[in-house]
Amino acid sequence: MPTLIQKGNTYFAQKGSYFEGNVKVDGDFVVPPHTHFWGRLNVTGNLELGPRSSVALEISCWSAVIGSQCRVKGPIIAHGDVTILDNASVHSVQAGGKVILRPGIVVGNVTSQDAIIVHGRIKSGNLIGKSMKVLGD
């Protein structure tokens, strides 16, 4: 498994790393671009998944920012907020906080205990939240 660099409660992966199997990080996790996970990703803190990265199975975390053009083939399960940036592809989202969906994403069902905010055109399954706001086309 590639080395993680720890600074305080935050862990950093090396750019272009490949992680085989399941990965668990106790703290916040910053993932650089072009990093790939071939199993589950479990982060007890906040996750920042860099652009063009991928996760083969589910993501479990406190909150998440999914970078542009990322692919997540399993569900994202977060206690807090989830932001999915432009042109990402995500199986589904279940969040305790608000969900922000940026233009060009493809996502399955999205469930939020708070607001769902959609920017621009997306392709999605059912969107279920406390409130819904659509901005742009």
Side-chain angles (χ1 to χ4, degrees), residues 5-28:
I5 300 163
Q6 181 179 4
K7 292 184 181 176
N9 191 38
T10 303
Y11 293 83
F12 299 87
Q14 296 173 337
K15 183 178 179 180
S17 297
Y18 286 86
F19 292 84
E20 293 183 31
N22 300 330
V23 175
K24 181 169 194 232
V25 176
D26 290 320
D28 297 336

Side-chain angles (χ1 to χ4, degrees), residues 11-13 19 29-33 35-37 41 47-51 53:
Y11 293 83
F12 299 87
F19 292 84
F29 192 24
V30 178
V31 179
T35 303
H36 306 283
F37 299 87
L41 179 55
L47 170 65
E48 293 180 26
L49 189 63
S53 295

Side-chain angles (χ1 to χ4, degrees), residues 65-92:
V65 175
I66 306 301
S68 64
Q69 300 179 2
C70 283
R71 289 188 154 316
V72 180
K73 294 182 181 177
I76 297 173
I77 302 166
H79 296 283
D81 298 344
V82 174
T83 300
I84 303 174
L85 298 178
D86 305 33
N87 302 308
S89 175
V90 176
H91 178 271
S92 63

Side-chain angles (χ1 to χ4, degrees), residues 46-129:
N46 303 317
L47 170 65
E48 293 180 26
L49 189 63
R52 296 191 169 148
S53 295
S54 66
V55 180
L57 298 173
E58 79 179 36
I59 293 175
S60 175
C61 59
W62 183 258
S63 68
V65 175
I66 306 301
S68 64
Q69 300 179 2
C70 283
R71 289 188 154 316
V72 180
K73 294 182 181 177
I76 297 173
I77 302 166
H79 296 283
D81 298 344
V82 174
T83 300
I84 303 174
L85 298 178
D86 305 33
N87 302 308
S89 175
V90 176
H91 178 271
S92 63
V93 178
Q94 182 179 342
K98 71 181 173 193
V99 176
I100 298 173
L101 305 172
R102 297 283 303 159
I105 69 163
V106 177
V107 64
N109 294 338
V110 177
T111 304
S112 171
Q113 300 301 313
D114 200 345
I116 298 175
I117 301 167
V118 179
H119 293 267
R121 292 181 186 260
I122 66 167
K123 291 182 183 176
S124 70
N126 295 326
L127 302 176
I128 302 168

